[in-house]
């Protein structure tokens, strides 16, 4: 199995030709291949949306759940079986909007999972309404006067909470994105990768060209361990310039390590009721 | 009127923060460890301080089924107890209270100089000392419970409480108000003492529970507290989620990965979980959902009881998928029904409910010892070596149950999907496939119909009137039947420990024999009665409902029956 597509498959998709999701999928396969991972070791969870269909198109274990809920099943599965490589992948509406509370709580827990957000700054599957990351003033059929809200800044949000690993990639830079995803997957702790993903059908503002004009790679001397530096990068005006790369990194104990129950390996598949039950019950004897 | 002389009823009333539950549970434990069978229930308000709460204990030589309504002993820790409950004193009963609260000149009253017995924070334990003497309990039995309860605190706190207990007991010994105790118990049998919620937690742990997620909500929280207490010993991961939506989705994810999973909540929290229930139905992921009801709508009466979420649990979750709803009728059955719930949910790969209410959740009772069975519990999985690749997670089978594999345990890939899917779990919108998959899932419901928990018939097979109830009201209904029969009225009762799938044949068999079928429910609209009529055509001839936030009691039912039969 000498290349990503042989190992992780090639499927027909329901995406529009030219959609940035194709490149994200390509980068994801490449990253997993280069990390020397095999399909049965990986669990991809997702919510609902265009990006959330990604697990359908990748040969591995899959839990395709509910809109907004890609992260909770990922955490549940990771706690049940920490040996699984767990990756949640969904759109910006799904993860930053409907499921925002789960992202916030996940950052506080720091499970060893990866969260990939295909951020097309619009709701794709429901046909073009403004999303949490749409710019203020972004005009849609549903927001004819333009989105009235301030755009959500996922990088600033995650960095401010000292999320263990915060990166931004761009679908138009597949190799760079693949390297980022590979690093995110091997990072111990919660790794958030916000992936700028052009939607050719519903977002005519943030186009390939628009991104190309603004994206730049963080210089090799950039130090992701500095929170202040990371906050400065996070707060750069996206209309002006957009940094790509690992923006913030902090090593911390993982969530799973806090459970002594998991010290002897996964609780999944270990559903034997041992002799301990007798002493548990005996505590209620009178 | 409804009570044998082999039973004693004790009521303790007081404000939250006065140590009412401490005295109550110490007395309950003492009575149980002395060898009596007990049932203790609580009413409390949704506040940490103040308000008027009660703790009541019924003790006897045989197991009490339902709480008492008239009391042999009333302990007033606050000024409201006597105006609120004084009229419920049995003739010959005794009221005990601080001398500033009760009138010493009245007969049947003990005015206690608590202030002379120690600091005010141990007043509750002095009161326990008085009760110990009056209830005819040996001081050493109660003292060892007090020592057990305060052993962690130790030091001066322990010493002060023991001294307070002895002071109360010593004072009561010198009074000439007599004792109101029970006849001594026979040889002590091995038993257990626990609440309904404890029994649910133990049932889950005894079923191989490996993952539990929750968001705190009265009256369900103590299920999770009990699981947490034993989680490390039993290798079960417990997580307080950010909300109920996350709790249920985490549990579904954990169960998908191979950990038998439980979530516990009450109506409002469960309402938030409903999309997740549907997800479990569609992805065919086993999950057990414990719902302890309290009165709604909305926040309702957070600490009171009601049986008004049957409809919610029956129909929660969009779309059609199979489920089972177990409604344990006693503390012991909370254990059995929870084990059953895990068995059904693992076997049929679908959500199963354990539906109780605050009354049962908080009921503390002596029960026969629970069996400590070891061995393999779920998940029921196939042998990967015998499965052909590509593995079909949703293989079409006759009984609708597809062989289950766990992700990561073999080279087979496990693909679950909340979209409609084909046998391999791939999104598939084709109508013909939809019909196949929908029918496959529903066939599992037909399987569950073949193995329902049978209803409990009480009173005998000859009757004119049949009372039908579900869940926690069984005890009160059965005590009511005994009372009616003692008056020559031919009535029996049918109590349902499972309402879905409905035990249709038992319902048909017994209601046919009745001249009158009367449903007894802790709600206003008769939710079980409507379900039974819709499913079987069986009509009720009357309905006894209660929705004031309190549990159905024997006296309440007997009163309501007047004029009906
Ligand atoms: C509970 C719920 N609410 C709404 C929807 C409808 N819905 C499906 S996808 C989606 C938004 C998709 O946007 P995004 O997450 O950004 O993903 P994209 O399609 O752009 O990749 C919505 C609102 C749903 N499926 N479930
Ligand atoms: S709608 Fe946009 S996001 Fe969805 S597939 Fe088409 S281009 Fe991609």
């Amino acid at each position: 199995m000498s290349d990503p597509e042989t190992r992780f498959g090639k499927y027909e998709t329901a995406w529009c030709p030219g959609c940035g999701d194709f490149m994200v999928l390509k980068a994801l396969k490449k990253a997993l291949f280069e990390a020397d991972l095999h399909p049965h070791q990986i669990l991809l969870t997702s919510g609902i949306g265009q990006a959330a269909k990604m697990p359908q198109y990748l040969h591995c274990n899959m839990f395709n759940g509910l809109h907004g809920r890609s992260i909770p099943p990922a955490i549940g599965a990771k706690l049940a079986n920490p040996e699984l490589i767990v990756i949640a992948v969904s759109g910006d509406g799904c993860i930053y909007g409907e499921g925002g509370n789960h992202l916030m709580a996940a950052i506080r827990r720091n499970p060893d999972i990866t969260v990939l957000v295909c951020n097309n700054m619009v709701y794709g599957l429901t046909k073009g309404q403004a999303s949490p990351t749409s710019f203020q003033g972004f005009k849609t059929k549903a927001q004819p006067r333009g989105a009235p809200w301030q755009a959500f800044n996922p990088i600033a949000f995650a960095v401010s909470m000292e999320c263990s690993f915060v990166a931004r990639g761009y679908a138009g830079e597949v190799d760079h994105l693949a390297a980022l995803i590979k690093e995110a997957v091997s990072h111990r702790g919660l790794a958030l990768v916000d992936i700028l993903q052009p939607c050719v059908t519903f977002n005519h503002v943030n186009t390939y060209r628009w991104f190309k004009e603004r994206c730049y790679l963080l210089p090799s001397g950039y130090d992701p361990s500095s929170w202040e530096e990371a906050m400065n990068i996070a707060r750069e005006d996206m209309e002006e310039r957009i940094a790509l790369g690992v923006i913030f990194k902090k090593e911390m104990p993982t969530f799973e390590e806090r459970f002594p129950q998991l010290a002897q390996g996964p609780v999944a598949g270990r559903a034997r009721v041992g002799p301990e039950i007798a002493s548990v019950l005996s505590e209620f004897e009178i | 009127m409804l009570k044998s002389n082999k039973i004693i009823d004790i009521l303790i009333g007081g404000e939250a923060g006065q140590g009412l539950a401490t005295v109550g549970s110490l007395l309950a434990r003492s009575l149980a460890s002395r060898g009596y069978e007990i049932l203790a229930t609580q009413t409390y308000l949704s506040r940490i301080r103040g308000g008027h709460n009660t703790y009541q204990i019924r003790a006897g030589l045989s197991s009490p089924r339902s709480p008492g309504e008239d009391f042999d002993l009333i302990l007033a820790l606050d000024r409201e107890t006597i105006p609120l409950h004084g009229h419920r004193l049995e003739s010959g009963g005794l009221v005990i209270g601080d001398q500033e609260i009760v009138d010493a000149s009245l007969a049947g009253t003990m005015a206690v100089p608590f202030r002379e017995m120690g600091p005010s924070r141990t007043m509750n334990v002095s009161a326990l000392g008085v009760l110990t003497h009056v209830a005819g309990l040996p001081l050493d039995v109660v003292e060892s419970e007090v020592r057990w309860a305060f052993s962690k605190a130790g030091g001066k706190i322990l010493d002060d409480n023991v001294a307070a207990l002895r002071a109360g007991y010593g004072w009561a010994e010198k009074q000439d108000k007599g004792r109101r105790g029970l006849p001594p118990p026979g040889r002590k049998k091995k038993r257990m003492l626990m609440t309904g919620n404890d029994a649910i937690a133990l049932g889950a742990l005894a079923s191989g529970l490996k993952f539990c997620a929750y968001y705190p909500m009265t009256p369900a929280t103590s299920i999770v507290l009990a699981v947490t207490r034993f989680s490390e010993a039993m290798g079960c991961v417990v997580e307080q989620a950010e909300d109920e939506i996350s709790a249920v989705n985490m549990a579904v994810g954990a169960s998908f990965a191979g950990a038998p999973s439980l979530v516990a909540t009450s109506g409002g929290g469960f309402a938030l979980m409903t999309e997740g229930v549907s997800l479990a139905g569609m992805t065919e992921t086993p999950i057990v959902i414990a719902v302890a009801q309290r009165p709604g709508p909305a926040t309702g009466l957070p600490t009171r009881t009601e049986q008004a979420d049957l409809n919610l649990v029956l129909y929660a979750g969009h779309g059609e998928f199979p489920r089972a709803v177990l409604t344990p009728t006693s503390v012991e059955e909370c254990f059995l029904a929870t084990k059953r719930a895990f068995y059904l949910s693992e076997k049929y790969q679908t959500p199963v409910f354990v539906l109780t209410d605050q009354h049962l959740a908080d009921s503390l009772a002596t029960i026969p010892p629970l069996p400590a069975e070891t061995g393999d519990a779920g998940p029921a999985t196939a042998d990967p070596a015998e499965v052909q690749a590509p593995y079909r997670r949703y293989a079409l089978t006759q009984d609708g149950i597809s062989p289950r594999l766990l992700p990561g345990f073999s080279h087979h890939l496990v693909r679950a999907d909340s979209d409609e899917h084909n046998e391999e779990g791939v999104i598939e919108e084709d109508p013909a496939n939809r019909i196949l998959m929908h029918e496959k899932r529903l066939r599992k419901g037909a399987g569950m119909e073949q193995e329902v928990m049978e209803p409990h018939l009480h009173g005998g097979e000859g009757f004119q009137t049949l009372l039908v109830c579900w869940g926690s009201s069984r005890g009160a209904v059965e005590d009511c039947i005994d009372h009616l029969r003692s008056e020559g009225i031919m009535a029996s009762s049918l109590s349902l420990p499972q309402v879905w799938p409905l035990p249709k044949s038992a319902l048909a068999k017994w209601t046919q024999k009745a001249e009158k079928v009367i449903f007894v429910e802790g709600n206003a609209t008769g939710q079980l009665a409507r379900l039974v009529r819709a499913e079987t055509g069986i009509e009720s001839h009357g309905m006894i409902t209660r929705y004031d936030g309190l549990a159905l009691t024997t006296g309440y039912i007997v009163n309501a029956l007047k004029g009906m039969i």
Side-chain angles (χ1 to χ4, degrees), chain A residues 21 48-51 67 91-94 98 120 122-126, chain B residues 275:
Chain A
D21 283 335
I48 295 296
Q50 292 291 77
H67 182 57
D92 47 302
C94 193
E98 185 95 2
N120 55 8
V122 72
Y123 281 3
L125 188 59
T126 46
Chain B
E275 199 190 9

Side-chain angles (χ1 to χ4, degrees), chain B residues 47-250:
Chain B
R47 49 201 285 179
I48 305 299
R49 299 250 156 220
H52 176 78
N53 298 342
T54 66
Y55 194 103
Q56 61 180 81
I57 303 171
R58 169 168 273 200
L61 298 180
S62 58
S63 295
R65 278 190 292 243
S66 70
E69 298 168 280
D70 300 305
F71 300 95
D72 303 284
L73 295 173
I74 294 180
L75 170 63
L77 292 176
D78 68 356
R79 285 177 195 280
E80 285 187 51
T81 304
I82 294 165
L84 284 172
H85 311 288
H87 63 284
R88 294 161 73 190
L89 191 68
E90 289 272 8
S91 61
L94 194 61
V95 171
I96 302 163
D98 189 87
Q99 56 191 12
E100 285 179 17
I101 294 179
V102 299
D103 183 349
S105 64
L106 293 178
T109 299
M110 269 181 132
V112 191
F114 282 122
R115 256 153 263 270
E116 292 162 20
M117 294 179 186
S120 65
R121 86 189 136 69
T122 57
M123 179 188 136
N124 60 336
V125 179
S126 302
L128 177 63
V130 175
L131 271 176
T132 301
H133 182 266
V134 176
L137 280 171
L139 180 61
D140 61 333
V141 170
V142 184
E143 188 173 317
S144 73
E145 292 300 335
V146 170
R147 286 185 180 280
W148 172 82
F150 291 98
S151 61
K152 253 211 182 125
K156 187 167 156 44
I157 296 181
L158 173 65
D159 295 343
D160 284 355
N161 279 288
V162 171
L165 178 80
R166 290 182 183 165
Y169 189 90
W171 179 87
E173 246 180 339
K174 292 191 213 100
Q175 313 304 308
D176 58 354
K177 299 278 182 180
R179 298 178 97 168
R180 303 287 193 284
L182 285 166
R187 220 166 66 89
K188 200 177 147 185
K189 287 185 300 233
K190 223 178 153 187
R191 288 152 323 138
M192 289 183 175
L193 179 68
M194 67 183 68
T195 63
N197 274 356
D198 290 332
I200 290 176
L202 294 174
L205 290 168
S207 304
L209 181 74
K210 288 290 172 269
F211 186 83
C212 173
Y214 71 105
Y215 188 83
M217 188 164 188
T218 306
T221 310
S222 55
I223 297 174
V224 182
L225 296 183
V227 170
T228 302
R229 184 172 153 203
F230 303 111
S231 60
E232 290 186 23
M234 296 299 293
C236 171
V237 173
V238 184
E239 172 62 356
Q240 179 175 319
E242 57 274 24
D243 54 35
E244 288 84 353
I245 299 174
S246 180
V248 70
N249 279 279
M250 270 191 206

Side-chain angles (χ1 to χ4, degrees), chain B residues 440-476:
Chain B
K440 160 200 150 46
R441 288 186 292 268
L442 293 179
R443 280 202 293 282
K444 299 188 293 181
M448 287 196 287
E449 269 181 46
Q450 304 307 310
E451 41 180 337
V452 290
M453 285 176 86
E454 288 301 320
H456 307 288
L457 182 74
H458 180 80
E461 300 191 0
F463 52 81
Q464 287 163 342
T465 301
L466 184 68
L467 302 187
V468 181
C469 70
W470 58 283
S472 72
S473 52
R474 175 186 174 191

Side-chain angles (χ1 to χ4, degrees), chain A residues 15-16 19 21 50 120 124 197 199-202:
Chain A
W15 291 328
C16 312
C19 173
D21 283 335
Q50 292 291 77
N120 55 8
Q197 172 241 320
C199 166
V200 294
T201 307
F202 296 114

